[in-house]
Amino acid sequence: MSSKKINRRQLLKSSGLRLRDIRSVDPSLWMTNSMPSLLVREQALLLNLGTLRAIAMKERVFVFDYNREGGRAFLKMLLPRLNPKNTNGGPAMPFELEVVEAALLSRIQRLERKLMDVEPRVAALLEVLPNRLTASVLEQLRLSKQALVELGSRAGSLKQMLLDILEDPHEIRRICIMGRNCIVRRGNNDMECSLSSDKQIAEEEEEEIEMLLENYLQRCESCHGQAERLLDSAKEMEDSIAVNLSSRRLEVSRVELLLQVGTFCVAVGALVAGIFGMNLRSYLEEHVCAFWLTTAGILVGAVAAFFIMYSYLKARKIL
C-alpha cells in the first residue's frame, strides 16, 4: 500500500477510463455523485459508497481520500483478506472481487453498528414516553429520529444499488470477464472467450458474484427494515405525545372557560353591589334587613347564573 498524488490525465492513462467515468467517483463532486454506485468498465470497477471512492482493477485499487471514515474501514477490511495466510489453503477470489466484497462488507458493517447504537436509545425513549415529557427527552427523540432517517436513507440507497446490479445479468458478466480475452454480446447476453477455460472460470465467478451480492443485499434489507420499524415506532410515539399534549391543552381550556364563567357571574354581583354603593338615596338603607337580603340575593343569583351557564355549555358540548 502506498500514497501518491496524480493528476487526472495520469489517472485516466493508468486505468484506461474516460473522464466522464472519473466523475462518478470524484470526491470533489460530492453533491452530484452522492448516491451509491458500482460501475463496470472494461478494465476497472468504479466504487462509490459514500465516503469510500475507489477504482478497482485487475491487480490494484485506487482509493480516494483514504483517511476518511469509509476509506479507513475499507482498508482495514481489505488488507487481511489479501494475506495468503488467511485463505486457509482455499482458492482465493480475483482481486477485484475481493475489493468489491471488502467495500460492501465495510459499508454494511458501519450501517449495522450505527443501528446497534441508536436502537437501545430508541427503546429506552419508548419506555419513558409519553409519561415523562421533558425538554431533554424530547430532544433525544428528535436526534434519534434524525439518525434513523439518515440510516434508513443510506441503507435504502445501497439496497437499491445492489438490486439494480442483480437485475442486470449483463453487468455481472462484464465483471466476470474483466482482464480476460472475452466479450459479452448485448443482445443475447452470451459470453464468448478465446479460451474455453476462461469461459468456464467466468461462469463460475458469475454464480459466486450473484451469491455474494445477494448475501449483502439480505443484510442491507435487514438493516433498512429494522431502521424503518424503529422510525415508525418513533413517529407513533410522537403522535401519541401530540395527542397527550392536545388532551392536556383541552383540559386547561376547559378550566379557563369555567373560570371565565365564574368571573362573569361574580362580576354581575359586583355590578349590583356597585349600584348600591353610589351616593344616591334608595331608602333601602333605612331597613335593617336590606343588607342581608341584598347580599343573599347577589350570592344566590351568582350561583344560579353559574349553573345556568354551565348547563348551557354542557348542552352545546362546549365543556
Side-chain angles (χ1 to χ4, degrees):
M1 185 172 62
S2 61
S3 303
K4 61 177 63 178
K5 292 184 179 181
I6 58 176
N7 56 36
R8 293 174 186 268
R9 188 178 299 276
Q10 293 172 338
L11 180 60
L12 294 173
K13 185 177 180 180
S14 60
S15 61
L17 298 171
R18 298 181 181 180
L19 186 59
R20 63 172 178 267
D21 298 327
I22 302 297
R23 294 194 189 102
S24 64
V25 293
D26 191 347
S28 63
L29 303 176
W30 178 266
M31 298 302 296
T32 59
N33 56 14
S34 59
M35 294 298 293
S37 62
L38 174 59
L39 303 180
V40 185
R41 298 297 182 260
E42 291 184 2
Q43 300 297 329
L45 295 174
L46 293 95
L47 287 165
N48 179 0
L49 297 179
T51 54
L52 171 62
R53 310 291 178 97
I55 300 176
M57 288 169 283
K58 192 67 179 174
E59 296 179 351
R60 55 182 172 172
V61 57
F62 291 143
V63 183
F64 298 90
D65 292 344
Y66 61 92
N67 279 325
R68 299 188 66 179
E69 181 184 4
R72 292 196 305 269
F74 167 70
L75 293 175
K76 183 179 179 181
M77 191 65 61
L78 176 64
L79 295 180
R81 300 171 66 90
L82 301 180
N83 190 346
K85 297 180 180 179
N86 297 330
T87 59
N88 296 324
M93 288 195 303
F95 177 76
E96 63 272 15
L97 295 186
E98 293 281 5
V99 170
V100 171
E101 184 170 9
L104 293 175
L105 183 58
S106 63
R107 178 64 171 175
I108 291 178
Q109 283 185 349
R110 287 165 56 205
L111 294 177
E112 290 174 343
R113 282 196 297 268
K114 290 181 179 179
L115 180 62
M116 292 175 63
D117 290 339
V118 73
E119 186 173 3
R121 299 205 309 264
V122 174
L125 289 172
L126 295 179
E127 289 181 359
V128 300
L129 290 172
N131 298 323
R132 183 184 170 190
L133 293 178
T134 61
S136 61
V137 173
L138 293 177
E139 179 65 15
Q140 291 178 16
L141 179 62
R142 185 189 68 82
L143 294 176
S144 299
K145 268 191 62 180
Q146 184 178 355
L148 287 172
V149 169
E150 182 180 0
L151 179 61
S153 175
R154 291 180 179 180
S157 58
L158 181 60
K159 180 182 75 171
Q160 188 60 46
M161 184 201 78
L162 294 174
L163 281 173
D164 292 340
I165 297 175
L166 286 171
E167 292 175 356
D168 191 356
H170 182 78
E171 292 296 307
I172 295 178
R173 290 204 164 186
R174 289 182 64 189
I175 297 175
C176 298
I177 66 172
M178 186 178 299
R180 296 188 176 95
N181 191 13
C182 301
I183 59 172
V184 178
R185 298 190 179 277
R186 187 65 182 180
N188 52 16
N189 202 33
D190 289 338
M191 186 186 306
E192 296 182 0
C193 301
S194 58
L195 298 177
S196 58
S197 59
D198 286 346
K199 183 176 181 180
Q200 182 179 358
I201 295 174
E203 289 176 349
E204 293 175 356
E205 288 182 0
E206 181 180 2
E207 183 178 356
E208 187 174 356
I209 291 173
E210 289 183 356
M211 294 176 61
L212 182 146
L213 294 177
E214 287 178 355
N215 175 44
Y216 291 112
L217 175 61
Q218 291 177 359
R219 293 180 61 175
C220 190
E221 284 181 341
S222 175
C223 183
H224 180 256
Q226 183 64 15
E228 290 293 327
R229 285 190 291 271
L230 289 174
L231 183 59
D232 290 340
S233 299
K235 289 180 178 179
E236 290 177 359
M237 181 55 64
E238 274 195 341
D239 294 339
S240 176
I241 292 172
V243 172
N244 193 2
L245 292 177
S246 298
S247 176
R248 292 187 182 184
R249 284 192 293 267
L250 180 60
E251 292 294 330
V252 172
S253 298
R254 292 182 63 183
V255 173
E256 288 180 350
L257 183 56
L258 288 174
L259 291 176
Q260 290 175 1
V261 171
T263 303
F264 171 74
C265 296
V266 173
V268 172
L271 175 63
V272 176
I275 292 175
F276 282 97
M278 292 188 296
N279 293 326
L280 297 176
R281 297 183 65 83
S282 62
Y283 302 104
L284 293 176
E285 64 272 8
E286 297 177 358
H287 300 279
V288 179
C289 298
F291 171 78
W292 301 108
L293 291 174
T294 303
T295 302
I298 291 174
L299 293 176
V300 172
V303 173
F306 177 81
F307 280 103
I308 291 172
M309 291 293 296
Y310 181 80
S311 300
Y312 172 76
L313 294 175
K314 290 288 287 185
R316 297 296 299 271
K317 295 183 179 180
I318 299 176
L319 283 175

